[in-house]
Amino acid sequence: YSGPFNQEFRDLLLDDWKKELRSRHIPFSNDIDIAGMLVDSTTVGEWNLQGLPNDALSIQNGIIVTKATRFPLLVDPQGQGKTWVKNREAANHFQITNLNNKYFRTHLEDSLSLGKSLLIEDVAEELDPALDNVLEKNFIKSGSTLKVKVGDKEVDVMKGFTLYITTKLPNPSYTPEISARTSIIDFTVTMKGLGDQLLGLVILKEKSELESERVKLMEDVTGNKRKMQELEDNLLYRLTSTQGSLVDDESLIEVLRTTKSTAEDVKQKLKIAADTEVKITTAREEFRPVATRGSILYFLITEMSMVNCMYQTSLPQFLGLFDVSMDRSTKSPVTAKRIASIIEYLTFEVFRYTARGLYEEHKFLFTLLLTLKIDLDNKKVKHKEFMTLIKGGAALDLNAVQPKPAKWILDLTWLNLVEVSKLPQFSEVLNQVSRNDKKWKEWFDYEAPEEAELPDGYGATLDTFRKLLLVRSWCPDRTAVQAKKYITESMGLRYTEGVILDLKDMFVESKPRTPMVCFLSMGSDPTSNIETLGKRENIECRSISMGQGQEVHARRLLQQFMGSGGWALLQNCHLGLDFMDELFLLVLETENVHDQFRLWMTTEVHPKFPISLLQISIKFTNEPPQGIKAGLKRTYGIITQEQLEISNLPQWRPMLFGLAFLHTTVQERRKFGPLGWNIPYEFNQADFTSTMQFFQNHLDDLDLKKGISWTTVRYMIGEVQYGGRVTDDFDKILLNTFAKVWFSEAMFSPQFKFYSGYTIPASATCKKIKDYLDHIDSLPLTDKPEAFGLHANANITYSTNMSALCMNTIVSIQPKDSGGGGGETRETVVQRLADDMLKKLPPDFVPHEVKSRLHKMGHLAPMNIFLRQEIDRMQRVITLVRSTLVDLKLAIDGTIIMSENLRDALDNMYDARVPTAWLKISWASATLGFWFTELLEREVQFRSWCFDGRPNAFWMTGFFNPQGFLTAMRQEVTRAHKGWALDSAILSNEVTRMFKDDIKEPPPEGVYVHGLFLDGSGWDRKNCRLTEQLPKVLFAVLPVVHIFAINQTIDKDKDKLQFYHCPVYKKPHRTDLTFITTLQLKVMPSTAPEHWMLRGVALLCDNK
């Protein structure tokens, strides 16, 4: 039964079993070794020679494979189990097949009727129904033979038939039926198992005589033990079968004598062998650090496959890198030096190889994890510190920790500090911040705090990593910068510099049977680079874009080039997934492949892309460069000199440059998240080309007297060419604003600039493409967000999001083992959390009490109908949370079964995230702590409104349906005025100077709303208008807003100019789903509303 579990869990089961034995007073020996009872050491020795690793887990797996009554299904992502089975069955004419093989049925029937072994490899989560009867052993006895139904056919079952099934999926979920029919066995390589394998490889390379001596020794010992066994068996047989007196039987006496002398002999040999083994082991252990580093690297690479399903690297690929590293690293007669040089070369080689196949956003994450894993192994970083770094204070509840000493400290920062203060070297940090908050604020306000001296003497005592813990707590936006310093200090500068893609190197590294796969991303396509390289190498390169019906052409092309040599490029392979399995077999099984043949592929990320194909290929990404400078270079790299001279009008080249600048800006704004665009659009080269064509046509038909029709130009950019992609209304306004601000007669004046430092080069001086490229080179190296129309603070948001994403990803790929590095298990942590939440969870709303209160208040008033709906929804959330927590506690105790939902709740609560089932009927939130606090606050607002009367000011964030709230208010106002119609009553608003606590009575009409945050700008309370943000202050709290309705028919001619129509969203994630309404905010006389539009200003009900 313990097949599917890992080593830790199997040991746990064993301990539990011993407890059961004790409680039932069954005697057993203390050093009981189950594996030893089920298999003798000689057999284990044979298994090891056949390639089964020597750790306890693998030996137990071997026992289950050979002894279990059900046929084994090996979960074998590294292919170790498969190798062992192949070697073990090699002598028995066994058959290998897979479910996609067209002769699969034939193979199955042949193996059954001839009594051969059958190995079905690389299955997914479904098995072929034809196997059902075979797996269940539904054999029908007819006469002396057994038959079984395979599909509609009866097949004889001969003695000697066995079936093995293997899968490459690292964590498959099989149906209960499959689990019952097969014995599922976890063959995933363990740290120890892999370490021993790698050690063997190192010794083989470095001290080959040692390894061959060890293998020979193992063979001798196994042979000798086997001999002893046979002699003893023979003797016992003779003793039992002899007739008459034993002394008369001379042959028996002879056997006795041989047995005795051989036994003496073998004993001697075994003793010598034991001594030699000790010597060999000591000599081998010297090289252990290389093997340990190797297994750390390999497990990190396999963890990356959880970040993105395309990052698959197989064990053979890794072992290839391992070999190369030993061959190419500096040789040295001093063992310690040699070991250091292998480790250094290996680490960088693996880093380079892996980083080349990662998207930009994951490269930093990989480097950081690499450094942390190595330092964890060297004991430079403790497990607790590592967990604090990646999780911070996300799981804490703000109301349960000591209160923060000052207003300026953010909630999240304070929670992070509370978490950090649990580590020994920071035990005093909370009190120090309270006592010395001026100094800490000063440090926090620096442009780059990580460069400045830390207060309270921390600067002198902390190393780079401990400093990273503080920086991560205070300034999430600077985490990446400090982490890079830590990486540089710990690993060396070359790890932070990024890997430049070199296709030529990659081509040299590849072999004819190694496909090269490029993962596509927005605006990246390596086709032209590959074709150029092919021309340079003088090799024919042909491409086929996959899709329906393209398989035939791809097959033909591959066969042709495999014979004659050439490069085949299959584009968009995610559209031809059915062909991929066949392609895999084609590449591996074609007899003769020409040396010049190479297979290049491009694909988007797709969960169904075959793992086995990814595991044999070299992977790379080719992402567009970042920044205005790089973007403009790329655009001007595509424009030809001819296109530059196509029109002789002076307006042509400045307009072209303006368009190129706009093209880069719209792409670069994407990285700022909702501040840049609500929805990140895929603007690409085609948009640019078509707009360029339109400009050219427009200038060709130009009437020189009238000049350029700017309305037409702006309309074409903002609504057609670029605007055609845009689906969100506010994004459309933004795009039109760019067109309005940049495209006008002003762009031809020498004074025109997009932002200081970014100008349009004069047409008189720039005639050639090269002149433009020189001008682009003179632009600033890093772009300030102002160049895109945003405030400098936008960079903080961007960096914070990047760091948060990075840390969250690391949390999500951490192994979900019970109890990390001592301390409590996950279950106890979650159980305590559940107890705590149940204590604080408010009581249910009693339906009849709510009903009677609403009747008193007037249950048909629009506002009360709205309240009734909200309370119903709130009650659903409270009920669900209560039932989940109660069930979860029962499931942890083992009283009820842990269902899919409860398992999800357990995982999420441990990671301080909101369980999926709760999210479905509630609201999004950054962490579980904030979500729960919000639940309590919402409930308080509804309860007091229902039972204590209508509040003076409303907290709009606490409503499920804020639009409904505003509509109810409009209805209320409309009914109060005779002759108003609901359709003509529109919302209007006025921002007061009061905050929530200053409000003593409700407004005469409409509602007061509090708790809104301004994102992207600050608020001038004295003049009640928008103003620029203060540095590092990302959200400004808006005072109470008075929202009311006016009759549209009366107030037609209100001055529209000095207002910015600011959208209000429920959450920082701005989409149509979270949009509530727009409010009019006054702007400074010196700025136009367009300025705030480009800044991406919006109001949020919640900034977490």
Side-chain angles (χ1 to χ4, degrees):
Y1 288 111
S2 59
F5 306 116
N6 62 9
Q7 187 62 54
E8 290 174 41
F9 196 80
R10 289 184 190 184
D11 293 344
L12 254 167
L13 286 175
L14 209 58
D15 290 343
D16 285 352
W17 181 63
K18 287 181 183 169
K19 278 182 201 146
E20 289 292 329
L21 289 180
R22 277 196 200 95
S23 67
R24 288 178 170 68
H25 304 296
I26 301 172
F28 64 93
S29 38
N30 276 329
D31 53 350
I32 189 166
D33 171 21
I34 306 261
M37 294 157 97
L38 293 171
V39 65
D40 52 19
S41 53
T42 39
T43 317
V44 173
E46 276 172 15
W47 288 350
N48 294 149
L49 292 174
Q50 288 157 354
L52 185 74
N54 200 3
D55 54 307
L57 182 82
S58 306
I59 290 167
Q60 292 171 5
N61 289 345
I63 295 174
I64 302 176
V65 170
T66 49
K67 306 260 181 181
T69 48
R70 295 173 292 183
F71 292 124
L73 193 168
L74 314 183
V75 178
D76 187 24
Q78 288 84 18
Q80 290 188 304
K82 191 157 71 176
T83 316
W84 171 61
V85 169
K86 281 182 182 170
N87 292 339
R88 187 165 175 270
E89 295 284 346
N92 309 348
H93 313 292
F94 90 130
Q95 176 72 52
I96 301 179
T97 182
N98 63 15
L99 295 180
N100 296 334
N101 193 315
K102 49 186 167 197
Y103 301 121
F104 168 68
R105 279 289 171 87
T106 327
H107 287 158
L108 178 61
E109 289 161 14
D110 288 355
S111 302
L112 280 162
S113 54
L114 299 171
K116 292 196 305 190
S117 303
L118 177 68
L119 167 68
I120 304 175
E121 54 182 13
D122 302 346
V123 300
E125 295 187 345
E126 307 276 322
L127 293 181
D128 190 322
L131 287 168
D132 288 356
N133 283 328
V134 180
L135 291 175
E136 288 183 3
K137 299 197 176 171
N138 286 339
F139 300 157
I140 310 152
K141 199 168 171 89
S142 71
S144 61
T145 57
L146 294 172
K147 290 184 179 310
V148 66
K149 273 196 101 154
V150 177
D152 47 3
K153 221 160 136 184
E154 280 200 353
V155 184
D156 289 347
V157 183
M158 289 291 281
K159 202 169 172 255
F161 167 75
T162 42
L163 174 67
Y164 303 94
I165 308 174
T166 69
T167 173
K168 273 226 170 114
L169 300 171
N171 191 5
S173 52
Y174 286 109
T175 57
E177 291 79 42
I178 293 180
S179 309
R181 285 175 191 146
T182 59
S183 51
I184 296 179
I185 308 171
D186 178 16
F187 250 97
T188 313
V189 65
T190 56
M191 264 287 197
K192 180 177 176 305
L194 181 63
D196 289 345
Q197 274 184 31
L198 295 177
L199 189 58
L201 283 174
V202 180
I203 305 291
L204 204 56
K205 272 268 198 295
E206 301 295 315
K207 297 254 162 81
S208 48
E209 68 288 348
L210 259 183
E211 186 66 5
S212 50
E213 198 180 330
R214 190 181 73 89
V215 173
K216 192 170 172 308
L217 190 77
M218 270 174 66
E219 283 172 358
D220 287 352
V221 170
T222 309
N224 284 331
K225 284 184 177 167
R226 179 69 65 213
K227 206 169 180 181
M228 285 278 292
Q229 190 87 29
E230 279 167 8
L231 284 168
E232 285 171 11
D233 291 352
N234 186 12
L235 186 61
L236 282 170
Y237 171 69
R238 297 298 289 265
L239 283 171
T240 49
S241 62
T242 184
Q243 306 285 325
S245 166
L246 294 179
V247 191
D248 299 345
D249 192 335
E250 283 178 21
S251 63
L252 178 64
I253 308 269
E254 190 54 41
V255 170
L256 263 172
R257 193 161 54 248
T258 359
T259 309
K260 192 176 174 192
S261 63
T262 321
E264 287 296 317
D265 196 28
V266 168
K267 250 195 190 131
Q268 282 307 111
K269 279 186 178 163
L270 286 177
K271 196 168 172 225
I272 298 169
D275 293 346
T276 328
E277 187 159 18
V278 172
K279 278 190 206 134
I280 293 180
T281 314
T282 332
R284 294 179 69 201
E285 281 304 313
E286 237 190 323
F287 282 92
R288 178 65 72 181
V290 179
T292 313
R293 174 62 59 94
S295 26
I296 291 174
L297 293 172
Y298 178 69
F299 278 97
L300 174 61
I301 300 177
T302 40
E303 254 179 28
M304 288 307 287
S305 67
M306 295 193 276
V307 176
N308 185 324
C309 57
M310 304 299 270
Y311 300 160
Q312 300 284 351
T313 306
S314 63
L315 192 56
Q317 257 180 333
F318 176 76
L319 295 178
L321 290 176
F322 196 76
D323 279 348
V324 166
S325 306
M326 287 191 293
D327 292 341
R328 294 189 189 162
S329 48
T330 338
K331 307 281 183 276
S332 161
V334 186
T335 315
K337 270 190 180 164
R338 174 71 182 134
I339 289 175
S341 84
I342 298 180
I343 287 185
E344 186 176 337
Y345 193 93
L346 170 72
T347 310
F348 190 68
E349 186 59 22
V350 170
F351 166 73
R352 197 189 55 78
Y353 185 87
T354 315
R356 180 175 63 195
L358 303 177
Y359 283 120
E360 281 303 323
E361 53 178 336
H362 297 142
K363 281 182 183 163
F364 169 65
L365 176 139
F366 171 68
T367 320
L368 179 61
L369 257 179
L370 173 73
T371 316
L372 285 166
K373 293 261 177 198
I374 290 172
D375 278 353
L376 275 165
D377 180 64
N378 297 340
K379 305 279 184 285
K380 284 188 193 164
V381 172
K382 298 190 188 67
H383 187 266
K384 181 106 198 272
E385 296 173 322
F386 168 66
M387 292 312 280
T388 306
L389 173 71
I390 58 175
K391 278 165 89 167
L396 301 171
D397 176 6
L398 195 60
N399 303 330
V401 298
Q402 75 178 66
K404 57 178 188 180
K407 270 269 178 58
W408 62 271
I409 302 175
L410 297 172
D411 292 354
L412 200 55
T413 304
W414 187 245
L415 291 180
N416 287 341
L417 285 175
V418 173
E419 191 59 42
V420 165
S421 69
K422 294 177 186 169
L423 300 171
Q425 58 264 62
F426 296 109
S427 51
E428 281 300 299
V429 74
L430 296 180
N431 305 333
Q432 285 163 328
V433 173
S434 312
R435 281 200 300 272
N436 198 357
D437 74 316
K438 278 204 181 64
K439 269 280 188 300
W440 282 95
K441 176 145 176 50
E442 199 176 296
W443 172 74
F444 175 70
D445 282 341
Y446 280 116
E447 177 96 357
E450 74 283 352
E451 300 293 342
E453 182 69 20
L454 277 157
D456 283 327
Y458 278 119
T461 54
L462 296 184
D463 59 6
T464 322
F465 175 72
R466 311 293 181 283
K467 195 167 167 185
L468 172 62
L469 288 174
L470 270 188
V471 171
R472 183 235 186 284
S473 305
W474 279 102
C475 343
D477 57 303
R478 308 302 295 176
T479 310
V481 185
Q482 179 66 17
K484 280 193 176 130
K485 278 180 156 179
Y486 160 60
I487 293 166
T488 309
E489 187 180 286
S490 189
M491 304 287 295
L493 187 61
R494 57 186 184 163
Y495 285 90
T496 52
E497 283 174 341
V499 181
I500 309 284
L501 178 72
D502 185 337
L503 288 177
K504 177 135 199 298
D505 276 4
M506 210 164 75
F507 163 61
V508 174
E509 186 186 320
S510 66
K511 300 184 179 60
R513 290 186 195 270
T514 315
M516 286 169 276
V517 182
C518 175
F519 302 148
L520 299 171
S521 50
M522 278 190 194
S524 75
D525 182 15
T527 309
S528 52
N529 309 359
I530 294 172
E531 283 168 350
T532 320
L533 181 64
K535 279 191 195 117
R536 256 190 239 136
E537 296 290 326
N538 229 339
I539 297 174
E540 187 186 354
C541 175
R542 305 241 302 270
S543 62
I544 285 185
S545 184
M546 295 307 289
Q548 208 169 359
Q550 291 295 317
E551 290 87 351
V552 196
H553 306 295
R555 212 171 288 133
R556 196 179 315 130
L557 179 71
L558 286 169
Q559 278 154 354
Q560 180 194 334
F561 276 172
M562 278 179 173
S564 62
W567 289 0
L569 167 59
L570 303 183
Q571 296 163 314
N572 299 329
C573 291
H574 54 285
L575 302 178
L577 285 177
D578 302 342
F579 179 60
M580 290 301 119
D581 290 319
E582 182 187 332
L583 176 72
F584 174 65
L585 295 174
L586 253 177
V587 171
L588 286 192
E589 293 176 2
T590 307
E591 295 277 311
N592 302 317
V593 177
H594 195 283
D595 283 349
Q596 289 291 329
F597 169 74
R598 289 291 184 279
L599 170 61
W600 299 80
M601 299 159 69
T602 67
T603 172
E604 283 182 12
V605 175
H606 196 292
K608 294 262 187 317
F609 199 92
I611 295 180
S612 38
L613 182 58
L614 288 168
Q615 288 192 340
I616 59 164
S617 50
I618 291 179
K619 295 160 282 291
F620 66 102
T621 55
N622 172 35
E623 287 184 67
Q626 293 192 326
I628 291 180
K629 201 167 170 176
L632 286 172
K633 264 194 183 156
R634 198 175 170 142
T635 306
Y636 270 90
I638 298 169
I639 297 175
T640 58
Q641 186 60 35
E642 233 171 295
Q643 286 172 319
L644 205 58
E645 294 165 358
I646 205 152
S647 166
N648 49 12
L649 288 173
Q651 290 97 325
W652 165 241
R653 276 171 294 190
M655 280 178 75
L656 188 60
F657 190 84
L659 176 62
F661 196 85
L662 175 79
H663 183 66
T664 304
T665 305
V666 294
Q667 296 201 19
E668 284 293 311
R669 266 187 86 118
R670 284 195 299 237
K671 72 174 193 186
F672 294 106
L675 273 173
W677 295 103
N678 291 350
I679 299 169
Y681 302 98
E682 279 202 45
F683 297 111
N684 60 24
Q685 209 48 49
D687 303 333
F688 176 79
T689 327
S690 59
T691 316
M692 182 163 89
Q693 190 58 49
F694 160 73
F695 278 5
Q696 191 188 318
N697 298 350
H698 188 74
L699 290 175
D700 287 350
D701 307 340
L702 189 66
D703 177 351
L704 288 173
K705 288 196 190 81
K706 285 185 184 159
I708 295 173
S709 152
W710 288 111
T711 12
T712 317
V713 170
R714 287 175 197 158
Y715 184 83
M716 287 303 285
I717 294 174
E719 296 286 344
V720 183
Q721 314 283 23
Y722 283 88
R725 284 186 187 284
V726 177
T727 50
D728 185 278
D729 295 348
F730 289 93
D731 285 343
K732 187 66 81 48
I733 298 174
L734 173 69
L735 194 58
N736 282 318
T737 310
F738 270 124
K740 179 176 165 190
V741 175
W742 286 348
F743 288 87
S744 63
E745 283 299 326
M747 73 190 297
F748 306 128
S749 86
Q751 280 80 41
F752 178 81
K753 56 178 189 284
F754 298 105
Y755 174 70
S756 61
Y758 299 89
T759 55
I760 293 184
S763 332
T765 51
C766 286
K767 298 268 167 72
K768 296 266 184 294
I769 289 278
K770 186 173 176 319
D771 303 333
Y772 276 97
L773 289 173
D774 290 346
H775 174 79
I776 294 168
D777 267 331
S778 69
L779 295 176
L781 196 62
T782 52
D783 309 313
K784 290 190 166 162
E786 285 99 333
F788 314 115
L790 294 160
H791 188 272
N793 280 352
N795 248 349
I796 297 184
T797 316
Y798 168 62
S799 316
T800 309
N801 291 344
M802 282 289 295
S803 303
L805 185 72
C806 176
M807 296 305 174
N808 285 341
T809 313
I810 296 182
V811 171
S812 67
I813 65 173
Q814 281 319 299
K816 307 240 182 289
D817 51 14
S818 51
E824 304 172 304
T825 59
R826 299 163 45 113
E827 281 77 10
T828 19
V829 173
V830 173
Q831 188 150 19
R832 208 181 52 235
L833 191 61
D835 281 334
D836 186 44
M837 286 168 80
L838 279 171
K839 269 200 216 93
K840 294 181 186 166
L841 198 65
D844 289 346
F845 285 96
V846 186
H848 70 86
E849 287 180 10
V850 174
K851 211 168 176 179
S852 69
R853 278 296 307 171
L854 287 172
H855 264 285
K856 272 188 197 149
M857 287 156 67
H859 67 286
L860 292 178
M863 279 298 209
N864 297 341
I865 293 175
F866 166 77
L867 173 63
R868 160 89 196 286
Q869 292 165 345
E870 291 284 312
I871 287 181
D872 287 350
R873 290 183 70 170
M874 191 68 211
Q875 184 51 49
R876 273 182 67 200
V877 177
I878 295 176
T879 314
L880 180 70
V881 171
R882 184 168 289 128
S883 69
T884 308
L885 292 175
V886 172
D887 287 353
L888 188 57
K889 283 173 61 184
L890 289 173
I892 289 174
D893 292 338
T895 316
I896 60 172
I897 289 178
M898 181 76 77
S899 68
E900 194 57 42
N901 269 342
L902 294 177
R903 157 75 38 216
D904 168 79
L906 180 88
D907 286 347
N908 277 317
M909 282 169 69
Y910 183 70
D911 291 339
R913 298 181 184 171
V914 189
T916 323
W918 298 1
L919 274 181
K920 275 192 187 134
I921 63 163
S922 65
W923 51 92
S925 193
T927 67
L928 182 59
F930 286 135
W931 185 88
F932 195 68
T933 311
E934 189 171 330
L935 177 129
L936 302 179
E937 287 172 352
R938 284 176 173 229
E939 196 271 345
V940 166
Q941 167 158 299
F942 292 138
R943 196 168 283 277
S944 73
W945 183 358
C946 183
F947 294 105
D948 311 336
R950 180 169 166 165
N952 296 333
F954 292 92
W955 178 52
M956 200 154 74
T957 317
F959 295 140
F960 288 92
N961 175 11
Q963 296 94 315
F965 169 69
L966 295 174
T967 308
M969 186 273 301
R970 270 175 45 215
Q971 279 178 313
E972 204 175 56
V973 176
T974 313
R975 290 183 186 179
H977 291 261
K978 209 170 173 192
W980 279 28
L982 185 61
D983 294 349
S984 63
I986 56 165
L987 288 180
S988 180
N989 65 285
E990 199 175 328
V991 184
T992 66
R993 293 198 177 127
M994 302 181 283
F995 279 105
K996 180 192 162 196
D997 303 341
D998 310 334
I999 291 188
K1000 298 290 179 274
E1001 53 182 8
E1005 191 170 86
V1007 287
Y1008 282 143
V1009 169
H1010 67 88
L1012 295 179
F1013 298 92
L1014 263 173
D1015 184 12
S1017 79
W1019 186 253
D1020 172 357
R1021 190 175 167 194
K1022 199 169 109 204
N1023 298 313
C1024 292
R1025 63 186 181 195
L1026 290 173
T1027 154
E1028 289 295 355
Q1029 280 178 320
L1030 299 169
K1032 290 212 177 187
V1033 181
L1034 301 181
F1035 299 107
V1037 180
L1038 197 68
V1040 173
V1041 188
H1042 178 200
I1043 305 182
F1044 50 92
I1046 52 171
N1047 196 353
Q1048 207 176 358
T1049 44
I1050 308 167
D1051 298 337
K1052 272 272 169 77
D1053 16 80
K1054 218 174 153 186
D1055 177 21
K1056 288 276 186 306
L1057 273 179
Q1058 283 317 303
F1059 283 107
Y1060 165 60
H1061 289 271
C1062 181
V1064 184
Y1065 295 96
K1066 295 182 203 172
K1067 295 281 164 190
H1069 190 67
R1070 308 180 187 177
T1071 60
D1072 290 346
L1073 298 173
T1074 55
F1075 174 72
I1076 300 173
T1077 177
T1078 53
L1079 294 180
Q1080 299 165 339
L1081 302 179
K1082 265 203 251 171
V1083 298
M1084 297 189 283
S1086 58
T1087 61
E1090 283 86 30
H1091 172 81
W1092 302 107
M1093 190 65 231
L1094 296 185
R1095 282 273 191 267
V1097 177
L1099 280 166
L1100 307 177
C1101 287
D1102 178 19
N1103 60 356
K1104 295 192 175 67

